[in-house]
Amino acid sequence: MASTPTAKGTVPFREYKTWYRITGRPGSGRPALVVVHGGPGSTHDYLLGLSALAEQGWPVVHYDQIGNGGSTHLPDADPGFWTPQLFRDELENLVTRLGIADDYILFGQSWGGMLSAWYASGRPTGLRGLVIANSPASYKLWLSEMDVLRSQLPPGVDETLRRHEAAGTTDSDEYIEAMLVFYGRHVCRIEPWPGDIMASYIEAVSDPTVYRTMNGPNEFHVIGSLRDWSVIDCLPDIDVPTLVLSGRHDEATPTTVRPFEELIPNVRWEILEESSHNPHFEEPERFYELLGTFLESVHAAGPRTTTVSGG
């Protein structure tokens, strides 16, 4: 259940606007938790439950990345406009404009975890900690593991998917029905899906510009501009405590997540055994226990004594 926000609005980003929502009061003694949603091309809605952390004193900032939700939509933008650098610049602009750049923690989910890891590798001043939830470290690893997961679907499902992918008919009802078999196993195992997930899904479908350009028609058929993108090379440069979370049934399989554990210097990885890609819904008690313990440990450690401003 989302908590009542204390502020909502937009901040200017270049000639555009980024929509944000704040729960709690930044500057009240604890780092702000900045929530970076997935996609790219989703919205903040499916992560709104994190706003409840404000009740424990954590200011929580949600925002919609450009192209989606309450932020500026650009359905006619050239495909080359949509780059990871755009979203990294937007995140930096957001924390600066909101006045929290000297004391915050990043929580990135799925694509948002990759973006947050890349951003953190620049060692921005004021970043205190990092949570990477349900994220691959590389889209090449992701695509390789999608083949593994697809091969384990019930008989005939993957054949149906591949037939439509080859024909370019991924909007067909038959394809979508087969797609949902994968989603029910590896995206969210709750039936029906929680309303907040459906809200993000509907938003993404209503304007699929970003998702289709950068990702593709769905989670496992990645044919967009991110298909070769990786953050593996930058992981050793992350210098803040990092918590990595994933689900046992996650589309972000252990193979895709392991580079975070192997390469980030100060990292802890927890796998939630009964979850897929949305453990904040699938195992909320365990999820919030792990997250809360991590946040407390970062706060107890105090501000970093040395920081290097990232570019």
Side-chain angles (χ1 to χ4, degrees):
M1 181 69 67
S3 297
T4 304
T6 50
K8 282 184 178 182
T10 61
V11 296
F13 170 57
R14 300 179 184 172
E15 60 265 48
Y16 315 113
K17 291 182 178 179
T18 300
W19 180 93
Y20 70 89
R21 176 193 199 275
I22 301 175
T23 315
R25 304 200 177 278
S28 57
R30 290 181 175 233
L33 181 69
V34 179
V35 180
V36 186
H37 66 71
S42 187
T43 63
H44 76 285
D45 299 87
Y46 77 101
L47 294 169
L48 262 178
L50 274 73
S51 64
L53 291 166
E55 297 170 12
Q56 282 80 54
W58 302 100
V60 180
V61 176
H62 288 85
Y63 75 105
D64 286 334
Q65 294 162 23
I66 185 172
N68 295 95
S71 296
T72 303
H73 288 237
L74 296 157
D76 299 321
D78 184 89
F81 175 81
W82 304 107
T83 65
Q85 186 67 53
L86 172 75
F87 294 98
R88 178 171 171 159
D89 292 347
E90 181 186 34
L91 176 55
E92 181 175 29
N93 179 75
L94 178 77
V95 298
T96 301
R97 295 272 188 178
L98 293 181
I100 58 174
D102 59 347
D103 193 22
Y104 66 105
I105 296 168
L106 284 179
F107 176 99
Q109 201 274 343
S110 197
W111 137 265
M114 296 184 75
L115 176 62
S116 297
W118 184 40
Y119 181 85
S121 72
R123 302 185 178 184
T125 301
L127 181 64
R128 298 273 299 278
L130 172 66
V131 182
I132 301 169
N134 316 101
S135 306
S138 151
Y139 275 96
K140 286 188 175 181
L141 287 176
W142 176 273
L143 281 168
S144 175
E145 287 296 284
M146 290 305 103
D147 285 338
V148 174
L149 296 179
R150 289 171 63 147
S151 72
Q152 298 167 356
L153 294 172
V157 175
D158 194 34
E159 288 82 353
T160 298
L161 293 169
R162 293 188 187 278
R163 173 162 45 84
H164 285 285
E165 288 162 4
T169 51
T170 55
D171 288 330
S172 71
D173 290 344
E174 186 182 39
Y175 184 85
I176 292 171
E177 183 179 348
M179 178 192 82
L180 291 176
V181 175
F182 180 97
Y183 278 34
R185 286 188 170 203
H186 302 299
V187 177
C188 183
R189 296 165 70 86
I190 298 173
E191 295 184 4
W193 277 8
D196 286 350
I197 294 183
M198 287 305 303
S200 283
Y201 184 78
I202 291 168
E203 285 272 8
V205 169
S206 69
D207 183 357
T209 304
V210 181
Y211 188 79
R212 294 218 162 190
T213 301
M214 299 184 75
N215 190 82
N218 55 52
E219 295 293 275
F220 51 80
H221 189 45
V222 181
I223 55 175
S225 59
L226 287 179
R227 61 189 178 274
D228 296 321
W229 195 55
S230 171
V231 297
I232 289 176
D233 288 348
C234 75
L235 298 180
D237 296 325
I238 296 174
D239 69 342
V240 293
T242 302
L243 173 65
V244 176
L245 300 172
S246 63
R248 179 61 66 190
H249 307 282
D250 207 328
E251 56 183 350
T253 67
T255 296
T256 72
V257 176
R258 190 164 292 114
F260 294 121
E261 182 190 44
E262 293 176 343
L263 296 173
I264 297 175
N266 182 5
V267 66
R268 177 185 174 192
W269 179 18
E270 294 282 353
I271 298 177
L272 288 88
E273 295 294 333
E274 304 301 323
S275 295
S276 60
H277 201 54
N278 285 277
H280 52 290
F281 289 113
E282 296 165 296
E283 288 181 81
E285 185 173 328
R286 179 66 173 149
F287 171 85
Y288 283 104
E289 175 190 5
L290 291 168
L291 180 56
T293 299
F294 175 75
L295 295 176
E296 291 290 352
S297 70
V298 170
H299 180 52
R304 289 187 292 166
T305 55
T306 59
T307 55
V308 179
S309 179

